[in-house]
Amino acid sequence: MPQGLESDSRKLLRRLRDTMAEDHAGQARLDLITHLIADSMASEVCSIYLFRDPETLELCATEGLRKEAVHQTRMKLGEGLVGRVARSGQIVNTANAPATRGFRYMPETGEEIYSSFLGVPIQRLGETLGVLVVQSKTAREFVGDEIYALEVVAMVLAEMTELGAFVGDNSDAMGARHQQPVMIRGTTGQEGAAIGHVWLHEPRVVVTNPIADDPEKETQRLHDAVDKLRLDVDRMLTPDVDGEQREVLEAYRMFAHSKGWMRRMEEDVARGLSAEAAVEKEQGAARARLSQSNDAYLRDRLNDLDDLSNRLLRLLTGQGRDTGAQMPDDPILIARNIGPAELLDYGRKLRGVVLEEGSVGSHAAIVARALAIPLVIHAGRITTEALNGDPIMVDGDQGIVHLRPGDTVAAAFRDKIAMQAAAQQRYASIRDEPALTRCGTVLSLHMNAGLMADLPSLESSGAEAVGLFRTELQFLVRNQMPRRQELSRLYARVLDAARGKRVVFRTLDIGSDKVLPYLKPNDEPNPAMGWRAIRVGLDKPGVLRMQLQALLRAANGRPLSVMFPFVAEHAEYRAARAEMDKALERERILGHPLPEKIEIGAMLETPSLAYASRAFFGEVGFLSVGGNDLKQFFFAADRENERVRRRYDTLNASFLNFLEGVVRVCGITGTPLSFCGEDAGRPVEAACLAAIGFRTLSMRPASIGPVKHMLRRVDLGDLRAVIDGARAVGAETVRPAVQAYLATLD
Ligand code: PEP
Ligand code: MG
């Protein structure tokens, strides 16, 4: 880098900092900055365009163009050269602006006499806030160092915007940022609606000193921080870390030791940026390069680099995660992603959760579901848009987030919540009534649970029993295998809290998406169809035996119900049952009390089990249809794959025919049958399941009211006739016919 230019860019930054230090209102500051840049870069024009709203840019300050055009000249995103810079996030550098693709003449600005044009995006953390432009009469392209200087100034401007440097007079030059309503469309992770205020899981690091005077001192700070970062990463990479976590840490290490990354940051510092600003500049540049990519691997690496840059920023600024901010009373947690244990730590104080990434089957989603907290996942850009304390509304049903909602949206959302509250009251009024249909059939409604904290819902929801207690959460949220005694204590507390109501404990359903951090994950091409659930339990029986023993001890003589997940054939059930018999025998020999009654069942989650021999149906104590898994295998459609998971309707005639077959066999063999997938908690689906013969449904506690309300209005004979009618005419799904029938009910 030529010495002269190096000091030029530093001089410009220093002048910029001095200007910022003076006590001016927002507009005056912007005016001074444009003057300063034009002067330093020896160009006649310097202008700052900022977003008025997400689609419109406005000329907010200029040196050289007509002053009357300020706050008057506007362009749409993509319109003109300025709009092009804003849309693409790429610079435009041309010697002949009028002849350049996309040029749009703005007569009010008087810019027609300027031939050269250099526009750079004003960006922070990949978010474009506006465009900084210099223009001159001489027809020439700007050279590398000039471009660099303008980019750096643009970055400092963005940084200062974040600090609120341009807010403060009636023009409110950059004040509109992070104040406007934003609607983000994501995906439902857990239904429900919530109103609250943003709580950032990882608050942004605030860089208060983007410009530095002493490059040598700054370079030293950068080196010290990077050395510390490398040490930290090496320390995290202990030999026992493996699998995905190891991959991520290896990527961290690669970045932390990257010479290119270090060199670019050193250059930034040499040109006048502080070490923090240099880290952010390179973070932004990497974002701009990688975020365009459709390659999931590259996008993951971008996240790694982001994490690493944030760590480095924390080291440099000394800002930890705890910024001293006060968590609001009604927090809605915003994070790019979050682990199950961290989410559980926040617990029920959260009103809602919004994740930029995440997946429906992730452990965090499982915890959110267990806590009944509305969750929206795949909410793009939420972590850059949201600021701590922003008002936010989460529509978990639609998978939509309204950040800083306007009055109309807020009012409509409040109405929705009020309607839900009214419905809840209606449900509360029938809480102690039976789920008695119009035709006089009584259904048993059970609840699904997975945490101790779920148990109070047994009383409040009016559920008759816990039809499914998922035991994996206790395994997922720990760093090591829980001990038998711990489990036994927990199960005993669950039984105590159920006060004699039946609790069906499902043995560990691990594998597939639910990988335990302390069990070596198997690299399987199709984990959902791989070594999971009872398959693991039978092949490596240690954990299953420990769990069965913990359950028997917890029961301590009380009745006990246990079911095995993902049983695909009779032999698997027999082998699992034999484990229970052995466990019982062991307890008997040890002189421990045995359950006064024991029921052992299986989950029907693979189509194969529906065709098992009659002997199996006669032998199994009860069957529970795990509709979530069953449906994915019936339609061969991954329940976690957004592209296909909603593709097939539960009310598809083939699926209903299949389920009806299961009901029929169980009727013949006298096998108690229930349905415990998510569909049991959807009123329309629940009514149809009842119409084809299911008499026990297990669902999230919050669904019991709506399902009971529906069941109490339907006549199962009529509904069955509607379903049969639709099937008779070859309907793919019976839903339209069913909905037409339901619409006639009062
Ligand atoms: C199911 O598959 O329907 C089920 C209840 O189990 P899980 O959702 O835990 O796999
Ligand atoms: Mg399942």
Side-chain angles (χ1 to χ4, degrees):
M1 172 189 355
Q3 194 54 43
L5 281 167
E6 175 196 321
S7 54
D8 275 355
S9 98
R10 231 171 33 224
K11 224 184 291 163
L12 169 58
L13 286 179
R14 196 170 312 135
R15 286 178 69 190
L16 189 61
R17 189 191 49 197
D18 294 345
T19 307
M20 299 301 297
E22 288 163 20
D23 192 15
H24 294 292
Q27 184 66 47
R29 272 199 173 140
L30 282 180
D31 292 343
L32 279 168
I33 289 171
T34 52
H35 170 77
L36 180 76
I37 297 171
D39 183 47
S40 299
M41 293 189 64
S43 55
E44 288 98 336
V45 175
C46 172
S47 311
I48 294 174
Y49 297 82
L50 298 168
F51 278 104
R52 258 298 142 210
D53 59 59
E55 287 297 310
T56 319
L57 287 148
E58 182 178 302
L59 175 65
C60 283
T62 186
E63 171 75 18
L65 297 186
R66 289 197 193 119
K67 292 284 181 208
E68 310 85 81
V70 172
H71 295 306
Q72 300 303 320
T73 292
R74 290 184 182 182
M75 66 247 344
K76 289 273 161 228
L77 184 63
E79 191 185 358
L81 296 184
V82 172
R84 198 174 118 193
V85 174
R87 166 168 284 169
S88 64
Q90 309 283 335
I91 63 163
V92 169
N93 179 13
T94 170
N96 187 354
T100 303
R101 181 172 59 84
F103 177 79
R104 219 202 87 196
Y105 173 45
M106 305 271 185
E108 72 277 14
T109 62
E111 68 179 335
E112 65 277 13
I113 52 173
Y114 302 106
S115 182
S116 314
F117 175 102
L118 171 61
V120 303
I122 302 174
Q123 280 177 325
R124 186 172 193 275
L125 297 180
E127 183 186 13
T128 304
L129 314 176
V131 178
L132 177 62
V133 174
V134 288
Q135 290 171 282
S136 70
K137 284 187 190 149
T138 334
R140 66 174 188 101
E141 281 204 7
F142 290 86
V143 296
D145 286 299
E146 290 170 308
I147 299 169
Y148 182 89
L150 202 65
E151 278 183 325
V152 165
V153 170
M155 196 210 128
V156 171
L157 281 179
E159 210 57 63
M160 289 172 164
T161 310
E162 192 69 18
L163 296 173
F166 305 108
V167 187
D169 62 3
N170 50 13
S171 70
D172 210 5
M174 283 199 185
R177 199 175 113 67
H178 286 310
Q179 288 182 16
Q180 283 165 341
V182 180
M183 194 267 262
I184 296 177
R185 200 174 280 282
T187 307
T188 300
Q190 155 78 15
E191 283 101 350
I195 296 186
H197 290 89
V198 167
W199 181 250
L200 294 171
H201 180 54
E202 294 245 312
R204 262 177 255 163
V205 176
V206 184
V207 176
T208 48
N209 61 334
I211 305 165
D213 261 340
D214 183 345
E216 259 168 48
K217 198 169 129 217
E218 252 353 82
T219 308
Q220 194 53 51
R221 285 183 66 229
L222 181 67
H223 283 174
D224 291 350
V226 170
D227 285 348
K228 173 106 188 21
L229 178 78
R230 287 174 179 166
L231 264 174
D232 286 352
V233 174
D234 289 346
R235 217 173 282 142
M236 286 190 275
L237 251 172
T238 49
D240 56 320
V241 177
D242 50 20
E244 207 178 321
Q245 211 184 346
R246 179 153 211 103
E247 252 175 58
V248 170
L249 287 175
E250 294 283 8
Y252 278 16
R253 176 147 73 178
M254 189 187 80
F255 283 123
H257 288 268
S258 155
K259 290 204 173 71
W261 187 47
M262 193 67 202
R263 195 195 59 244
R264 284 191 297 274
M265 290 191 293
E266 283 168 348
E267 281 176 11
D268 295 331
V269 169
R271 293 184 189 229
L273 287 187
S274 67
E276 292 86 332
V279 176
E280 278 213 339
K281 181 169 185 296
E282 293 317 317
Q283 189 178 3
R287 259 181 186 266
R289 276 198 310 275
L290 295 178
S291 59
Q292 310 285 339
S293 165
N294 287 327
D295 185 328
Y297 176 80
L298 280 183
R299 273 186 279 113
D300 280 350
R301 295 294 74 83
L302 174 62
N303 292 336
D304 297 340
L305 184 62
D306 263 349
D307 281 343
L308 206 69
S309 302
N310 289 337
R311 272 172 195 275
L312 193 52
L313 284 172
R314 290 206 170 90
L315 287 172
L316 281 163
T317 58
Q319 292 170 28
R321 283 194 182 165
D322 183 7
T323 55
Q326 181 77 35
M327 188 189 275
D329 294 338
D330 49 6
I332 305 250
L333 187 77
I334 307 289
R336 206 172 71 214
N337 230 333
I338 189 167
E342 286 172 304
L343 190 53
L344 212 51
D345 273 350
Y346 284 107
R348 286 191 202 270
K349 54 177 174 272
L350 297 178
R351 292 272 173 96
V353 180
V354 182
L355 300 180
E356 198 156 302
E357 297 176 355
S359 75
V360 186
S362 69
H363 302 167
I366 294 167
V367 173
R369 241 167 269 151
L371 295 171
I373 299 172
L375 166 70
V376 171
I377 56 173
H378 303 155
R381 306 195 49 72
I382 186 74
T383 56
T384 29
E385 286 287 355
L387 296 183
N388 258 342
D390 278 348
I392 183 169
M393 296 177 162
V394 179
D395 185 341
D397 305 325
Q398 310 280 332
I400 291 175
V401 179
H402 301 281
L403 184 64
R404 303 180 287 269
D407 292 347
T408 326
V409 170
F413 201 83
R414 285 212 171 82
D415 284 352
K416 179 178 165 144
I417 291 210
M419 268 167 60
Q420 285 182 349
Q424 286 303 333
Q425 272 194 346
R426 223 176 21 243
Y427 305 146
S429 71
I430 55 169
R431 192 190 65 179
D432 300 323
E433 303 290 325
L436 172 68
T437 64
R438 280 252 166 95
C439 53
T441 308
V442 178
L443 278 97
S444 294
L445 303 187
H446 297 177
M447 65 170 243
N448 296 344
L451 291 171
M452 192 56 219
D454 292 325
L455 268 296
S457 303
L458 194 50
E459 179 72 27
S460 59
S461 67
E464 286 174 36
V466 177
L468 164 67
F469 190 92
R470 291 179 166 102
T471 58
E472 32 299 339
L473 272 173
Q474 282 68 43
F475 288 79
L476 285 171
V477 299
R478 282 181 169 74
N479 293 325
Q480 57 196 26
M481 183 74 77
R483 290 201 311 270
R484 191 199 62 214
Q485 215 181 17
E486 274 176 87
L487 288 181
S488 163
R489 257 191 238 125
L490 173 93
Y491 300 152
R493 278 170 51 221
V494 170
L495 288 171
D496 293 346
R499 297 207 206 142
K501 284 186 176 172
R502 181 175 179 234
V503 179
V504 181
F505 289 96
R506 173 177 79 182
T507 61
L508 192 58
D509 182 2
I510 218 68
S512 179
D513 57 312
K514 300 162 190 155
V515 179
L516 299 184
Y518 42 86
L519 274 191
K520 215 172 164 51
N522 277 286
D523 232 351
E524 296 185 301
N526 284 309
M529 295 196 275
W531 196 57
R532 58 173 286 198
I534 198 62
R535 299 172 183 178
V536 180
L538 294 176
D539 294 357
K540 286 230 181 294
V543 180
L544 178 65
R545 285 177 188 156
M546 183 267 281
Q547 203 183 12
L548 293 178
Q549 200 175 32
L551 285 164
L552 290 171
R553 299 261 167 106
N556 194 22
R558 291 177 280 190
L560 181 66
S561 299
V562 177
M563 70 177 168
F564 300 113
F566 214 65
V567 173
E569 58 173 15
H570 188 174
E572 278 174 349
Y573 173 73
R574 221 184 271 133
R577 164 91 231 199
E579 287 296 343
M580 179 54 111
D581 290 339
K582 271 191 258 168
L584 280 165
E585 181 57 13
R586 222 173 299 126
E587 292 301 285
R588 196 186 59 75
I589 293 169
L590 290 171
H592 291 296
L594 301 182
E596 77 184 39
K597 178 179 166 209
I598 186 154
E599 297 168 293
I600 313 287
M603 287 190 74
L604 193 152
E605 302 186 274
T606 61
S608 63
L609 203 63
Y611 301 103
S613 68
R614 290 285 157 92
F616 164 73
F617 285 90
E619 200 176 308
V620 71
F622 62 92
L623 273 178
S624 190
V625 174
N628 308 336
D629 272 312
L630 179 63
K631 197 175 154 196
Q632 78 165 337
F633 297 115
F634 187 79
F635 289 110
D638 186 346
R639 65 192 257 194
E640 282 183 52
N641 180 337
E642 281 309 316
R643 285 225 169 118
V644 296
R645 74 186 196 93
R646 288 178 218 253
R647 192 178 175 99
Y648 305 101
D649 191 353
T650 302
L651 301 188
N652 176 295
S654 314
F655 194 48
L656 290 184
N657 293 344
F658 178 82
L659 290 173
E660 209 174 19
V662 175
V663 172
R664 201 177 309 121
V665 182
C666 287
I668 294 168
T669 53
T671 315
L673 175 68
S674 62
F675 189 107
C676 67
E678 292 297 314
D679 285 315
R682 301 189 171 110
V684 177
E685 282 80 343
C688 292
L689 290 170
I692 62 166
F694 281 88
R695 291 294 171 263
T696 303
L697 303 174
S698 194
M699 63 201 76
R700 283 184 285 127
S703 300
I704 297 217
V707 166
K708 195 190 280 185
H709 179 66
M710 168 67 88
L711 289 172
R712 287 168 62 87
R713 289 156 61 222
V714 294
D715 178 306
L716 295 183
D718 290 352
L719 181 55
R720 174 60 182 258
V722 169
I723 293 173
D724 286 347
R727 285 195 288 199
V729 296
E732 194 85 72
T733 162
V734 305
R735 188 176 297 274
V738 168
Q739 259 160 349
Y741 160 74
L742 295 175
T744 65
L745 305 177
D746 42 63

